[in-house]
Amino acid sequence: PSFFWNDERMILARYPNEGYVYSIGKGDDCSEHTFINGKNGNTLGSGAPGGTVFYEPEVGEHMATWQDPTDAWVYGCFFFNWAEMTSPLTAVNAEDSSMTMRFNSGMGYRDEGSETYFYNIPEELDYPGEYYVDARERKLYLMPPKGFDRRTSSVAISVVEANGITVDGAHDIRFENIEFDGNWCCRDGE
């Protein structure tokens, strides 16, 4: 879910708080970019398990502080800087500074230099305006932004898991004065 305070989207607790960490290697389980190497089509949607990516030792030291990264995700541009993807993590290995994703990058992986960050990690809840979602317990934890006043602040959580409106087999329907807000599909007039 997305969390909003006074109409401003808050940030899922992440590492690093700003910017990215960069990969230094990839595992043998990483898919290839098929538009470059000409193999049998893209691995996106093929059911291939996620790839393993390696980082500098200081990233592994930071990963060691994560008690249970069950709800952790990674955001990254693993091959092209315009081809972003997100995936839940299936494994974090602090000893060799690696993480393994549930989904493989459909664009493949660079040998090094992929820009990434990790998010929705409770131990990273350390910056005003960040939040963490514990999916199993169905709880949201927030580090309030500066100026947060629960008596006067506007707070919204976007948790829609399906279409806002579904119409099937109907006709002569008219919607008036309806607003969809706080979701990914309706940004700035879309």
Side-chain angles (χ1 to χ4, degrees):
S2 296
F3 183 77
F4 298 84
W5 169 70
N6 289 343
D7 297 324
E8 182 180 338
R9 185 185 303 271
M10 299 291 97
I11 300 165
L12 279 162
R14 60 170 276 182
Y15 171 75
N17 281 330
E18 296 178 353
Y20 304 96
V21 291
Y22 296 89
S23 65
I24 61 168
K26 63 181 184 177
D28 293 336
D29 56 349
C30 290
S31 62
E32 295 293 326
H33 182 339
T34 56
F35 296 114
I36 290 176
N37 68 20
K39 291 189 180 172
N40 299 325
N42 198 316
T43 58
L44 186 63
S46 68
T52 300
V53 178
F54 297 89
Y55 297 91
E56 295 287 349
E58 60 266 15
V59 176
E61 291 169 13
H62 202 86
M63 290 173 168
T65 67
W66 301 344
Q67 300 283 321
D68 178 18
T70 303
D71 293 322
W73 285 64
V74 63
Y75 163 93
C77 296
F78 293 96
F79 196 85
F80 296 113
N81 284 340
W82 50 262
E84 59 193 20
M85 72 162 284
T86 62
S87 175
L89 299 183
T90 58
V92 172
N93 185 334
E95 290 181 20
D96 67 3
S97 303
S98 72
M99 63 85 186
T100 303
M101 298 178 286
R102 180 181 305 160
F103 307 119
N104 225 318
S105 168
M107 294 293 165
Y109 298 82
R110 286 187 215 127
D111 289 333
E112 61 183 37
S114 297
E115 55 187 35
T116 58
Y117 65 80
F118 306 95
Y119 64 97
N120 203 45
I121 301 166
E123 291 81 10
E124 300 303 332
L125 191 58
D126 60 357
Y127 194 79
E130 284 186 333
Y131 67 100
Y132 161 70
V133 177
D134 184 331
R136 288 172 294 185
E137 296 294 325
R138 301 182 53 87
K139 291 182 179 180
L140 183 145
Y141 298 87
L142 170 71
M143 178 169 277
K146 292 178 180 162
F148 186 87
D149 182 341
R150 64 186 176 103
R151 296 169 301 200
T152 60
S153 296
S154 165
V155 174
I157 300 173
S158 175
V159 292
V160 175
E161 295 180 12
N163 295 331
I165 296 176
T166 302
V167 178
D168 187 19
H171 56 85
D172 299 323
I173 295 176
R174 190 165 128 184
F175 296 99
E176 293 182 8
N177 300 320
I178 190 169
E179 180 179 326
F180 294 95
D181 199 9
N183 58 65
W184 289 103
C185 70
C186 300
R187 287 179 258 154
D188 299 326
E190 288 183 31

